[in-house]
Amino acid sequence: MGEFKVHRVRFFDYMPAAIRAMAFNRRTERLALARADGALEIFNFADNYFQEKVIPGQDGRAVEALCWVGRRLFSAGLNGEITEYDLENLRPRYTVEAYGGPIWTISGNDQGTLLAVGCEDGTVKMFEVLEDRIQFQRNLDRQKGRIISLCWHPSASLIAIQLGPELLAQSSSEVVVWSIAFLSDHTIISGDSAGKVQIWDGLTGTLARTHLVTKWDVLALSVSQDESSLVAGTSEGTVVQFQFLSSTLDGQNKDWVRTRTFKNHSHDVRALVHTETAVVSGGMDTQLVVRPLLDKVEKNTQESAMRKMAFPHRSLVCCAKKAGLLLFQFPDHLELWRLGESDGHGDLPVKRKPEKLIQLKRKGEDHICCSALSPCGGWLAYSTVTSFRLYRLQNNTISITKVSKLPKDLRSAHQLCFSTDSSRLFASSINSSVVVVALNQPECKYLHTLKPKSGSREPVHLLFASEDGKWLATANTACEVQVYNLDKIKLHCTVPVYGSCPTAIAIHPTSSNLVVVHADQQIFEYSLVQKEYTEWSRRLQKQGLHSLWLERDTPITHVTFNPKHPAHIILHDMFMFCVIDQSLPLPEAKTRLFNQMILRSLPEPMRILHRHAFKMCKTFQNLMCVRLLEDHSLVVVERPLLDIMSQLPAPVRQKRFAT
């Protein structure tokens, strides 16, 4: 595997925001997730649960509810506005004021023609969904209190809203209904602040059954598409499942029966989605949990494994490998750090401690969506959805100067990348295009815009510039990988489209081979000179990747190469980094993929027996970044999950032994 001098970095204080709302699109198998800071994330459940899009938040935009209407996504929040999102340009498309105070809930009918929102002033406002906008239609009768929850009947002719307090008053204290579900047989199910899931007859308004599931609040409900299963999320972190079962052999006399309890969260479960095969939950502990239902999936398979997604599927760290600098991206600011120094190898005393050089606060209300640091450490750039900033850095005097004159084509970007010699900046823009600008001392100059021939409108989420400055590779969320010739300023080739989204791309510095890793963990190597897959890539696809590699549940987020060993490919996900030695044979199906620490402890004959191309290291925890510096030392940025959990507020209930 080779030895590296490692800079082990744990001073990136990344802190994800709590999950506030979720909505699942059953047609496209996309999950939309809203966080407390207003950011939205889109996960493709059909593509190994990959986080394919992120729409950054905005100050004052607190999303309380989400709703899909066809392929269109809407949100509503306490600012009293309804927002539709542009999922191609990753920004809000427009906002509409509801004029009812803060909005607590939003729901669309199954026909996709109407939106209903529940407001603070006690009104339910109906909006007609038109081709390019929504239009206010009417108000329903005003209620006495705020409308916290509502749900459409599948026929789209009825709406169930928060039930009146008089129906739920079990004591002198007022009970709040946090969530309701409206079934096709007119059954209404409610979850409330008394910890009860209650079954109501929607035709007569009578209470049919009460289930006490917690001493605390029931915050969220979700029903399966066939209405045979229901899940309830509580403020103590549990998810309780109910199933509509019969107590007799003839299948008659069905009733809602509590069947399972899942404890996958430490804090409030604020959002729930019941898919065909799993329960998806999220809340205050910031983690997205996918819990498969074992009666719906085949046991002991990849589909039956529980997933916890606590980190983004993209890098928030940039490394200036020539200058030994790190740039950390936060929603509201950037931090520039200089790495420390030590003598020799191993765990040795630090000769110079890491130093925070600059903290740069963003301008405006929009959160930062992407940032980049040039390899020389002399340029810094970041973008929001509405603005772009470029700065000149002087590391000797630790000064920063804003570049005031920017090209008009450089308004905002989805992704940023500098050339290896720091002379050019590449910014992905609308319609999968890339804007190229030249960097000079006083200002930057627009050169040209690179556009794909496919005419795709999907955003580019990956950029990579080759070491020799000849090639630029891009990948978009339509699974297209384009390679441009920067000398001729034109599209060189399009890699054959593979059905899974690329998660990391890189071009080899000497062979000009493009390595692409996809969300389903497949690896391809494509020769830019021959415009075809390499022999190694064909062998890999013919033999197939090892099952343990394919069963990993976090995507590869970065690929690089070792100049000392041209046959080595270095890549990493959240839990390991791996060196693939292309000169060694590929692992057979029955070969064990040993961690390198375990492999070292084996006798030499056993090490030779288990020798293969994939060398994996799991020494480090929760990897945010692994980069190779110019001096061939390795930078490993960790963010242990326990550090994140320690910064969360105290849960409402802590489990104690024997209780």
Side-chain angles (χ1 to χ4, degrees), residues 274-294:
H274 196 317
T275 69
E276 187 178 344
T277 59
V279 177
V280 187
S281 55
M284 281 290 296
D285 66 2
T286 76
Q287 297 186 73
L288 179 65
V289 177
V290 180
R291 179 70 183 245
L293 298 172
L294 296 183

Side-chain angles (χ1 to χ4, degrees), residues 514-530:
L514 172 69
V515 174
V516 184
V517 188
H518 295 266
D520 64 355
Q521 313 296 357
Q522 292 291 337
I523 304 171
F524 294 91
E525 186 182 46
Y526 189 83
S527 171
L528 301 184
V529 177
Q530 302 295 328

Side-chain angles (χ1 to χ4, degrees), residues 377-395:
W379 297 93
L380 184 154
Y382 79 84
S383 179
T384 68
V385 296
T386 56
S387 65
F388 184 89
R389 296 282 191 277
L390 179 65
Y391 297 88
R392 190 80 171 102
L393 301 175
Q394 297 291 338
N395 294 319

